[in-house]
Amino acid sequence: MFTEQWAKTRFPADVSAIPAEFQPPSALHQRVTLINGELVPFEGDYQPVLSPVCMPDAEGQYRQVILGSYPIGTEAEAFLALDAAVNAYQDGRGAWPVMPVAQRITHVEDFTFRMLARKKEVVNLLMWEIGKSAADSEREFDRTVEYIYATIDALKELDNKSSRFIAAQGILGQVRRAPLGVVLCMGPFNYPLNETFTTLIPALIMGNTVLFKPPKYGTLLFHPLLEAFRDAFPPGVVNTVYGRGATVVPSLMETGKIDALALIGSSRVASELKKKHPKVNRLRAVLSLDAKNAAIVLPDADLDIAVQECLSGSLSFNGQRCTAIKIIFVHADIAAAFTAKFTEAVNLLKIGMPWEKGVNITPLPVQDKPAYLTGLIEDAVARGAQVLNQAAGGGQGFETLVAPAVVYPVNTSMRLYHEEQFGPVVPIVSFTDFEDPIQYQIQAPHGMQISIFGTDPDQIASLIDPLVNLVCRVNINCQCQRGPDIFPFTGRKDSAEGTLSVDTALRAFSIRTMVAAKLTEANKELLNKILHGNKSGFLNTHYIF
């Protein structure tokens, strides 16, 4: 049972209680930013970095472990970074945007090699900064590397297909993809490495120059990679921006020098930032935003499968995923059986520290999140719901650690029905009319994914047809998820703009452009001289192996 006294035993009494391989990193006080190929000293204010892991101080008060600090940059530093990116792009004439694709791939491979050499540091910082389990932190790093290599392979295939000429109606042309310009990349705290790189890497490899602002939580883990960025890419191709997002980012957008915005975060922030750009029609936006994905459990569902998939879907990394199942609709005929089985499974989840083997629920990095979750639960209870696992401590918290709560029956009057909780609270709704979950999706401001659990092909088909026009992925008897990375990842309404996957991301950060000529003997001879003399990086018929 989760109590304050029990929760204290989950946190380490001191560093000696932490296994040697998972010791907190030495205090890392970042005093540099990456601008124009140099690690520039920063002498301004700094933001302390607190781990979600707490330990008792000399007076027995539990305090978050201090990991270090990073620069609170101002507009001045942000504009220096912007100028560096603009100058490196040089209106499309810079060394990076005109560089042949094969050479850009070599630079990205070099960066990946350097990144792999810092794996241990990055993984440990990832674990300590956001409280992700050691196993999941390592998986995030490995998946990111796999994504980079998959991106390289996809670009080779794309470029090889584009290496041929097309002849039509007396015109000869070669169509390729060219970069957009300067890209501002902003990633999320929950997958700070992986999801940031799913925009940053394709933006880079397509020839754009990049401004990269790390997330508020999960900033220091990028410090070991700054030298890799500096050494692997030409000056100005990758530049970092630090500081209060509400201060520096709007100012960057107002310059009109940002050609593409890659943001994984909230729709409110995305909307405000786009409005700051003086030429919105010129801005390419690649956005992965809010989501409150639902699961629908039908009367004939296999309960074991539904419970296991909903459990993992709703509570992996404490439910802090945009693709998490954040509300479950269960048919009234099986609601009692499902909730009993699901609650039992939730109570078996291991609550503890990120380095513990098999841990499921870990401390939360966002400092006001426990209080916010408590408010959601209290509102639901006041309006008729119950915390089904209250006896086991569901919904109780101590400092940054919150026990997962199963809340039932939830209805439309409750905040938990509408708000994206992004934490270990699982609302369950009972329904008899199959129109109810469809109406939920119609009324919701989000439209990312949904999961359906059942075995009746007619019933499932009747749900698939309307739902595919409301969300962008319908999962059958499995949880909502992003991968595999070759699948399109997008959403409707406030959930996304643009599509991310390995190959579509390359298209998202580029534009089709072509060279064309009348099909005459003189032009054929001219083009052959350009091709055979390797005179153009764009116009070529090279095959990249």
Side-chain angles (χ1 to χ4, degrees):
M1 179 178 177
F2 191 103
T3 63
E4 178 176 320
Q5 190 57 40
W6 180 86
K8 288 180 177 179
T9 67
R10 298 294 86 203
F11 289 111
D14 52 49
V15 293
S16 66
I18 304 170
E21 64 268 34
F22 301 119
Q23 284 286 309
S26 300
L28 175 55
H29 296 287
Q30 183 177 326
R31 296 294 182 264
V32 295
T33 61
L34 177 61
I35 299 177
N36 201 32
E38 296 182 4
L39 295 179
V40 181
F42 181 84
E43 298 179 353
D45 294 331
Y46 295 91
Q47 174 66 46
V49 177
L50 303 178
S51 172
V53 175
C54 300
M55 284 194 287
D57 60 17
E59 286 74 39
Q61 297 297 313
Y62 281 74
R63 310 290 184 189
Q64 292 179 247
V65 174
I66 299 176
L67 299 177
S69 58
Y70 62 83
I72 302 178
T74 65
E75 291 180 346
E77 289 82 23
F79 288 149
L80 286 175
L82 176 60
D83 289 343
V86 170
N87 292 335
Y89 191 71
Q90 198 181 340
D91 297 314
R93 296 178 295 168
W96 186 249
V98 302
M99 186 179 293
V101 170
Q103 291 184 30
R104 290 205 300 264
I105 288 174
T106 299
H107 282 274
V108 173
E109 289 174 334
D110 180 34
F111 168 77
T112 309
F113 176 79
R114 297 172 186 274
M115 174 180 169
L116 283 166
R118 311 301 293 268
K119 175 178 177 177
K120 184 175 181 181
E121 298 166 75
V122 174
V123 169
N124 200 43
L125 281 166
L126 180 58
M127 180 189 75
W128 276 94
E129 276 196 87
I130 65 170
K132 183 169 287 188
S133 73
D136 283 347
S137 296
E138 185 164 1
R139 274 192 288 270
E140 179 170 344
F141 186 98
D142 292 342
R143 182 183 178 187
T144 303
V145 172
E146 291 171 3
Y147 186 92
I148 296 174
Y149 286 134
T151 298
I152 291 172
D153 290 341
L155 179 55
K156 288 179 180 178
E157 182 179 0
L158 176 63
D159 195 72
N160 289 336
K161 288 181 178 179
S162 303
S163 65
R164 68 188 185 94
F165 280 78
I166 302 170
Q169 299 179 15
I171 299 293
L172 186 68
Q174 188 180 68
V175 182
R176 289 185 177 277
R177 301 199 73 87
L180 301 171
V182 176
V183 179
L184 173 59
C185 288
M186 301 171 65
F189 83 84
N190 57 335
Y191 288 89
L193 185 69
N194 181 256
E195 294 213 357
T196 297
F197 276 38
T198 60
T199 60
L200 188 149
I201 292 298
L204 278 175
I205 207 168
M206 292 309 291
N208 302 283
T209 58
V210 169
L211 291 179
F212 159 47
K213 186 180 185 305
K216 180 179 179 181
Y217 303 97
T219 300
L220 285 181
L221 66 91
F222 290 99
H223 182 266
L225 301 179
L226 294 184
E227 290 182 355
F229 279 120
R230 179 197 64 187
D231 297 339
F233 296 102
V237 171
V238 181
N239 308 274
T240 55
V241 175
Y242 295 90
R244 311 294 188 201
T247 301
V248 298
V249 179
S251 298
L252 290 172
M253 296 297 290
E254 287 172 348
T255 66
K257 296 178 181 179
I258 302 297
D259 299 297
L261 171 64
L263 170 66
I264 301 178
S266 81
S267 59
R268 177 188 59 80
V269 171
S271 180
E272 291 176 357
L273 290 180
K274 288 177 66 175
K275 291 175 184 176
K276 295 291 183 181
H277 200 286
K279 292 283 187 179
V280 179
N281 59 295
R282 295 186 183 182
L283 179 70
R284 175 75 62 87
V286 182
L287 312 173
S288 180
L289 307 169
D290 317 325
K292 191 173 173 72
N293 300 323
I296 304 173
V297 185
L298 302 176
D300 60 344
D302 183 314
L303 281 183
D304 290 334
I305 292 176
V307 166
Q308 186 54 48
E309 290 293 318
C310 287
L311 182 73
S312 178
S314 61
L315 291 173
S316 290
F317 189 39
N318 307 311
Q320 299 170 124
R321 300 180 300 123
C322 63
T323 55
I325 293 174
K326 299 190 177 81
I327 189 166
I328 303 174
F329 287 82
V330 183
H331 195 275
D333 289 353
I334 59 166
F338 176 88
T339 54
K341 200 174 187 70
F342 184 81
T343 302
E344 181 183 4
V346 169
N347 290 341
L348 292 175
L349 294 177
K350 184 176 181 178
I351 302 173
M353 295 300 104
W355 54 82
E356 296 179 34
K357 187 175 182 179
V359 70
N360 303 110
I361 303 297
T362 55
L364 304 175
V366 180
Q367 294 189 348
D368 59 352
K369 180 62 70 171
Y372 171 73
L373 296 176
T374 297
L376 290 179
I377 294 171
E378 290 177 346
D379 172 78
V381 170
R383 297 175 187 275
Q386 293 181 323
V387 178
L388 296 184
N389 60 336
Q390 185 175 17
Q396 298 300 307
F398 174 71
E399 298 296 344
T400 57
L401 198 59
V402 175
V406 182
V407 183
Y408 174 83
V410 168
N411 60 50
T412 58
S413 71
M414 303 171 186
R415 291 171 55 198
L416 198 49
Y417 185 93
H418 305 279
E419 297 181 26
E420 182 186 10
Q421 65 270 35
F422 220 76
V425 178
V426 186
I428 300 179
V429 180
S430 175
F431 75 94
T432 54
D433 187 344
F434 288 93
E435 183 68 14
D436 288 351
I438 295 177
Q439 282 300 317
Y440 163 82
Q441 199 60 64
I442 291 172
Q443 300 301 324
H446 318 106
M448 184 177 284
Q449 297 188 28
I450 200 165
S451 290
I452 304 173
F453 296 91
T455 57
D456 183 342
D458 293 330
Q459 183 63 70
I460 291 177
S462 71
L463 289 171
I464 288 175
D465 288 353
L467 289 172
V468 292
N469 295 326
L470 297 171
V471 299
C472 286
R473 176 165 168 166
V474 176
N475 303 277
I476 306 300
N477 291 319
C478 64
Q479 63 177 292
C480 301
Q481 57 193 309
R482 173 169 179 155
D485 286 325
I486 62 169
F487 286 176
F489 180 56
T490 186
R492 297 173 183 267
K493 297 192 274 190
D494 289 345
S495 285
E497 182 174 343
T499 300
L500 288 174
S501 67
V502 170
D503 59 343
T504 54
L506 297 174
R507 292 175 170 82
F509 294 103
S510 63
I511 189 168
R512 286 194 300 178
T513 189
M514 66 180 295
V515 174
K518 284 191 174 181
L519 193 55
T520 65
E521 291 302 317
N523 281 339
K524 286 193 285 184
E525 182 179 355
L526 174 63
L527 292 174
N528 275 323
K529 287 180 178 179
I530 294 173
L531 295 170
H532 295 157
N534 293 323
K535 298 180 182 299
S536 171
F538 180 91
L539 193 68
N540 69 79
T541 55
H542 298 156
Y543 192 93
I544 306 174
F545 292 96

